[in-house]
Amino acid sequence: MERWRGRVALVTGASVGIGAAIAKELVRFGMKVVGCARSVEKIQFSSAPFVLPQVNVVALSVCTREAYQSMKERNVDDGHIINLNSMCGHRIIPSSDIHFYTATKFAVTALTEGLRQELREAKTHIRATCISPGLVETEFGPRLFSQTPEKAAALYSQYKPLEAVDVANAVVYVLSAPPHVQVGDVQMRSVEQVS
Amino acid sequence: MERWRGRVALVTGASVGIGAAIAKELVRFGMKVVGCARSVEKIQFSSAPFVLPQVNVVALSVCTREAYQSMKERNVDDGHIINLNSMCGHRIIPSSDIHFYTATKFAVTALTEGLRQELREAKTHIRATCISPGLVETEFGPRLFSQTPEKAAALYSQYKPLEAVDVANAVVYVLSAPPHVQVGDVQMRSVEQVS
Amino acid sequence: MERWRGRVALVTGASVGIGAAIAKELVRFGMKVVGCARSVEKIQFSSAPFVLPQVNVVALSVCTREAYQSMKERNVDDGHIINLNSMCGHRIIPSSDIHFYTATKFAVTALTEGLRQELREAKTHIRATCISPGLVETEFGPRLFSQTPEKAAALYSQYKPLEAVDVANAVVYVLSAPPHVQVGDVQMRSVEQVS
Amino acid sequence: MERWRGRVALVTGASVGIGAAIAKELVRFGMKVVGCARSVEKIQFSSAPFVLPQVNVVALSVCTREAYQSMKERNVDDGHIINLNSMCGHRIIPSSDIHFYTATKFAVTALTEGLRQELREAKTHIRATCISPGLVETEFGPRLFSQTPEKAAALYSQYKPLEAVDVANAVVYVLSAPPHVQVGDVQMRSVEQVS
């Protein structure tokens, strides 16, 4: 990670959960972390079909475009864009609560690989990665099941899920790979997660 | 197709292209077709990151929900919801023009399978299908490349693409399958399409 | 199907189950069907890790190669190679009895698309298709669970599975598509199949 | 990696290439490495359809089974089985030389996830991982193209590929994750690899 010391990392969603864990970890390695976050209360999952694609697909695309533009303007050839995906971006689990979320994460899988190809086509060495965790204990569950607290309670009690820091460690791993190594995806779950 | 005679089919995007071909074919088999369409001019692909998820993901989800509600209210247990997907819903081709479109179609793949599972969970026999064509000669190309007409011209001249009626025939095939047979996906391309 | 009348179809595994249903259907449409089959008793699923890849992967590849060679020698540009795949070629279901079978079917998914690409590269119009059914009521279940007859009994009693003729109908659909239409995959399940 | 010090690692294919790099790395972290290897000359890629599934699918399955049996007998609940997969286990690239290899790697993708599920079902905490590199500079290329040395020469000269040690580092990463974290797949390519 030595080569990242003193460089700038923009972390979205940095106020809580996985974003906060990543920001903390990058600071520990000497990066200058710029965090940004919306007020999470504003996202009502009850209106998921309308809001989730805006956040998970459109906002992610806009951030990616801006980050890439910024790197180009500053002649940064060794940047790294890391998308937070999910195991739900790779397979469909039989849980109707999660199907729309799953659709947005399938989109993230495609966007990340599309980005990787575009970066190759543009002859840059900027890397594109997605990290695809399974269940992580964060504020996500209570938020997803805000109308049905019994589901929220059940979510993290069936087995020991991943922790936010585990995802942050995956971010550190892909960042610390030598410049010629592009890790495109790290798929990770709790060792006790069934599906 | 005999069992569909006299029944109602709602076809979205029925004014042009694949939607029109499907509507025409279903009428030919004696279905009562209700078509609906937006003015296609309103969709500017230059603003794709903002509009495409609204059309391909959100609108599709809302239509699906309404169609299913309507079937439930009328005790229809043998309905059929058919999503127009694309080969782009299944693999990422090295063409940066199409990456965002690809992301929305990956979402459609997930939504269709998620819907299929929900319909099973709800103990209905309503079927969920997606049809995944490769390149089809429609107004899609000129629209996608409205700013770069030379790309639009090239799109359909490299090889003989699918025609809208080929997709309509796939719709007829999945509809005409016996009630216990659920075709989840028909993946089809021109025999000359490379990727 | 009119254009296939009088032409030769080679059907492997034609003595029972899906193969027999396909052979029967093609004869009905006026094709000259050459069937071949091994004695199914010889395949012991208890030795699956050693035998299944030989049958599902190696034998399929050899048959494909020979069929293609034969078409080339006879200047057949509109042939059609159809591989029997499975829904297990597309997703991994939580049933340890089926994991090795699943691996061989994942291979069939790759082989069919690889074949399609090679046929394009060679500038032929020969088509490559796989048909991917879910559970079909055939001799497969009793064979798979020959050591555990209670599992075999349970397999087809939970819900109405597909019938062999449903798969044969999918074969007829892909054959009857116009020559420029290559259906690459038909994924089909019983409307009551959950996973 | 501290918790692996003094424990036994069985590395197959340990005499050359990726296997050798992994063995070396694990020794460096204090593991007792048992290497095994066949004479690579014996594998003729010209007979790929017959040999590759034996090596990549059957042998891998047999080794997995034996490793798991051995762990069970010794009450090892925190073992780790790591399969060498490939980016070819995840998508089909337009190169006919590699299609059969691709099929065997699709099988590895299915086998690894199947194994993960079986290990969950058996209530163990043994982890199952596959590492999926793109092009790695090893003896693989010259072997694959032994009949066409000009292809072999071209293989590693178009762009800087991964090195064997990059894959070994991925193995170290997944091993060093805390016991509750199961990395299922690390997909990695040279930053210059296009497809």
Side-chain angles (χ1 to χ4, degrees):
Chain A
M1 285 294 287
E2 196 48 40
R3 70 183 175 102
W4 295 104
R5 184 174 298 276
R7 295 186 62 178
V8 174
L10 172 66
V11 178
T12 60
S15 60
V16 289
I18 294 171
I22 291 170
K24 192 173 159 193
E25 206 64 12
L26 299 184
V27 164
R28 208 165 65 80
F29 283 102
M31 294 191 78
K32 294 177 185 155
V33 175
V34 180
C36 66
R38 292 151 305 114
S39 171
V40 295
E41 289 78 33
K42 290 197 182 136
I43 302 187
Q44 296 295 331
F45 271 80
S46 54
S47 57
F50 300 96
V51 175
L52 264 183
Q54 290 301 319
V55 177
N56 286 3
V57 181
V58 175
L60 179 144
S61 299
V62 171
C63 287
T64 297
R65 192 169 60 187
E66 295 303 311
Y68 177 40
Q69 282 305 324
S70 168
M71 290 178 196
K72 271 208 293 197
E73 283 161 19
R74 296 177 292 117
N75 294 312
V76 173
D77 186 53
D78 64 344
H80 201 147
I81 295 171
I82 301 176
N83 291 332
L84 249 296
N85 198 344
S86 163
M87 281 308 297
C88 287
H90 300 289
R91 48 97 186 95
I92 297 142
I93 54 175
S95 165
S96 58
D97 294 310
I98 211 86
H99 284 156
F100 199 80
Y101 175 80
T102 294
T104 67
K105 290 305 191 180
F106 265 63
V108 172
T109 299
L111 286 172
T112 310
E113 170 62 9
L115 173 63
R116 192 195 67 81
Q117 294 183 3
E118 287 184 51
L119 293 169
R120 293 302 74 75
E121 219 174 280
K123 307 284 181 205
T124 82
H125 293 77
I126 299 169
R127 304 188 290 193
T129 297
C130 66
I131 310 285
S132 304
L135 189 68
V136 185
E137 183 156 11
T138 66
E139 86 298 346
F140 178 80
R143 231 198 312 164
L144 177 61
F145 294 121
S146 60
Q147 313 297 314
T148 48
E150 73 286 0
K151 283 192 183 180
L155 192 61
Y156 299 135
S157 62
Q158 293 163 346
Y159 59 86
K160 179 175 171 37
L162 296 180
E163 299 168 20
V165 72
D166 300 324
V167 180
N169 284 338
V171 169
V172 169
Y173 163 63
V174 300
L175 278 172
S176 64
H180 72 282
V181 177
Q182 136 113 24
V183 178
D185 198 357
V186 177
Q187 300 185 6
M188 59 197 301
R189 278 177 278 210
S190 161
V191 76
E192 293 180 345
Q193 185 168 340
V194 173
S195 61
Chain B
M1 287 294 288
E2 196 48 41
R3 71 185 173 99
W4 294 105
R5 183 171 297 278
R7 295 186 63 176
V8 173
L10 173 65
V11 178
T12 60
S15 60
V16 288
I18 295 171
I22 291 170
K24 192 174 157 192
E25 204 66 9
L26 298 184
V27 165
R28 206 165 67 79
F29 282 103
M31 294 191 78
K32 293 178 185 155
V33 175
V34 180
C36 66
R38 290 152 308 114
S39 171
V40 294
E41 289 78 33
K42 289 198 184 137
I43 302 187
Q44 295 297 329
F45 270 79
S46 53
S47 57
F50 301 95
V51 175
L52 265 183
Q54 291 299 320
V55 178
N56 285 4
V57 180
V58 175
L60 180 145
S61 298
V62 171
C63 286
T64 297
R65 191 170 59 188
E66 295 303 309
Y68 177 39
Q69 283 305 325
S70 167
M71 290 178 197
K72 270 208 294 197
E73 283 162 18
R74 293 176 295 117
N75 294 313
V76 172
D77 187 52
D78 64 346
H80 200 149
I81 294 171
I82 301 175
N83 291 333
L84 248 297
N85 198 344
S86 162
M87 281 307 297
C88 287
H90 301 289
R91 46 97 185 97
I92 296 142
I93 55 174
S95 165
S96 59
D97 294 310
I98 211 86
H99 284 156
F100 199 80
Y101 174 80
T102 295
T104 65
K105 291 305 192 180
F106 265 63
V108 172
T109 299
L111 286 171
T112 309
E113 171 62 10
L115 174 62
R116 192 195 67 81
Q117 293 182 4
E118 287 183 53
L119 293 168
R120 292 305 73 76
E121 220 174 278
K123 306 283 180 207
T124 81
H125 293 77
I126 299 170
R127 303 188 290 193
T129 298
C130 66
I131 311 285
S132 304
L135 190 68
V136 185
E137 183 156 10
T138 66
E139 86 299 344
F140 178 79
R143 230 196 314 164
L144 177 60
F145 294 121
S146 60
Q147 313 296 315
T148 48
E150 72 287 358
K151 282 192 183 180
L155 192 61
Y156 299 136
S157 62
Q158 293 163 344
Y159 58 85
K160 180 175 169 40
L162 296 179
E163 299 168 21
V165 71
D166 299 325
V167 180
N169 283 339
V171 169
V172 169
Y173 163 63
V174 300
L175 278 172
S176 64
H180 72 282
V181 178
Q182 137 115 22
V183 178
D185 199 355
V186 178
Q187 301 185 5
M188 58 196 304
R189 277 177 280 209
S190 160
V191 76
E192 292 180 345
Q193 185 169 342
V194 173
S195 61
Chain C
M1 287 293 287
E2 195 49 41
R3 70 183 173 100
W4 294 105
R5 182 172 297 278
R7 295 187 62 177
V8 173
L10 172 66
V11 178
T12 59
S15 60
V16 288
I18 294 171
I22 291 170
K24 191 173 157 192
E25 205 64 10
L26 298 184
V27 164
R28 208 165 65 79
F29 282 102
M31 294 191 79
K32 293 177 186 156
V33 175
V34 180
C36 65
R38 294 151 305 115
S39 172
V40 294
E41 289 79 30
K42 290 196 184 138
I43 302 188
Q44 296 295 331
F45 271 79
S46 53
S47 57
F50 300 97
V51 175
L52 264 184
Q54 290 300 321
V55 177
N56 286 3
V57 180
V58 176
L60 180 144
S61 297
V62 171
C63 287
T64 297
R65 191 168 61 187
E66 295 303 310
Y68 178 39
Q69 282 304 326
S70 167
M71 289 179 197
K72 270 209 292 198
E73 284 163 17
R74 293 177 294 117
N75 295 312
V76 172
D77 187 53
D78 64 343
H80 201 148
I81 295 171
I82 301 174
N83 291 332
L84 249 296
N85 198 343
S86 162
M87 282 307 297
C88 287
H90 301 289
R91 47 97 186 96
I92 297 142
I93 54 174
S95 166
S96 59
D97 294 311
I98 211 89
H99 283 155
F100 200 80
Y101 174 80
T102 294
T104 66
K105 290 305 191 182
F106 264 62
V108 171
T109 298
L111 286 172
T112 309
E113 171 60 10
L115 173 63
R116 193 195 65 81
Q117 293 183 3
E118 287 184 50
L119 293 168
R120 293 302 75 73
E121 219 174 281
K123 306 284 181 206
T124 81
H125 292 78
I126 299 169
R127 303 189 290 194
T129 297
C130 66
I131 310 284
S132 304
L135 190 67
V136 186
E137 183 157 10
T138 65
E139 87 298 346
F140 177 79
R143 232 197 313 163
L144 177 61
F145 294 121
S146 59
Q147 313 296 315
T148 48
E150 73 285 1
K151 283 192 184 180
L155 192 62
Y156 299 135
S157 62
Q158 293 163 345
Y159 59 86
K160 178 175 170 39
L162 296 179
E163 299 168 21
V165 72
D166 300 323
V167 180
N169 283 339
V171 169
V172 169
Y173 163 64
V174 300
L175 278 172
S176 64
H180 71 284
V181 178
Q182 137 114 23
V183 178
D185 198 357
V186 178
Q187 300 185 6
M188 59 198 301
R189 277 177 280 209
S190 161
V191 77
E192 292 179 345
Q193 185 169 341
V194 173
S195 60
Chain D
M1 286 293 288
E2 197 47 41
R3 69 183 174 100
W4 295 104
R5 183 173 296 276
R7 295 187 61 177
V8 174
L10 172 66
V11 178
T12 60
S15 58
V16 287
I18 295 171
I22 291 170
K24 191 174 157 193
E25 205 65 10
L26 298 184
V27 165
R28 207 166 66 82
F29 283 102
M31 294 191 76
K32 294 177 185 156
V33 175
V34 180
C36 65
R38 291 151 308 114
S39 172
V40 294
E41 289 78 33
K42 290 196 183 139
I43 301 187
Q44 296 296 330
F45 270 79
S46 52
S47 57
F50 301 96
V51 174
L52 265 182
Q54 290 300 320
V55 177
N56 286 2
V57 180
V58 175
L60 180 144
S61 298
V62 171
C63 286
T64 297
R65 190 168 61 188
E66 295 303 310
Y68 177 39
Q69 283 305 325
S70 167
M71 290 179 197
K72 270 208 293 197
E73 283 161 19
R74 294 176 295 118
N75 294 312
V76 172
D77 187 51
D78 64 345
H80 200 149
I81 295 170
I82 301 175
N83 291 332
L84 248 297
N85 198 342
S86 163
M87 282 306 298
C88 287
H90 300 289
R91 45 100 187 94
I92 296 143
I93 54 174
S95 166
S96 58
D97 293 310
I98 211 87
H99 284 155
F100 199 80
Y101 174 80
T102 295
T104 65
K105 291 304 191 180
F106 265 62
V108 172
T109 298
L111 286 172
T112 310
E113 170 62 10
L115 173 64
R116 193 195 65 83
Q117 293 183 4
E118 287 182 52
L119 293 169
R120 293 303 74 74
E121 218 174 281
K123 306 282 181 209
T124 81
H125 293 77
I126 299 169
R127 303 188 291 194
T129 297
C130 65
I131 311 285
S132 304
L135 189 67
V136 186
E137 183 157 11
T138 65
E139 86 299 344
F140 177 79
R143 230 198 313 163
L144 177 60
F145 295 122
S146 59
Q147 314 296 316
T148 49
E150 73 286 359
K151 283 193 184 179
L155 192 61
Y156 299 136
S157 62
Q158 293 163 345
Y159 59 86
K160 180 176 169 38
L162 296 179
E163 299 168 20
V165 71
D166 300 324
V167 180
N169 284 338
V171 168
V172 169
Y173 164 63
V174 301
L175 277 172
S176 64
H180 71 284
V181 177
Q182 137 113 25
V183 178
D185 199 354
V186 178
Q187 301 185 6
M188 60 196 302
R189 277 177 280 207
S190 161
V191 76
E192 293 179 344
Q193 184 168 341
V194 174
S195 59

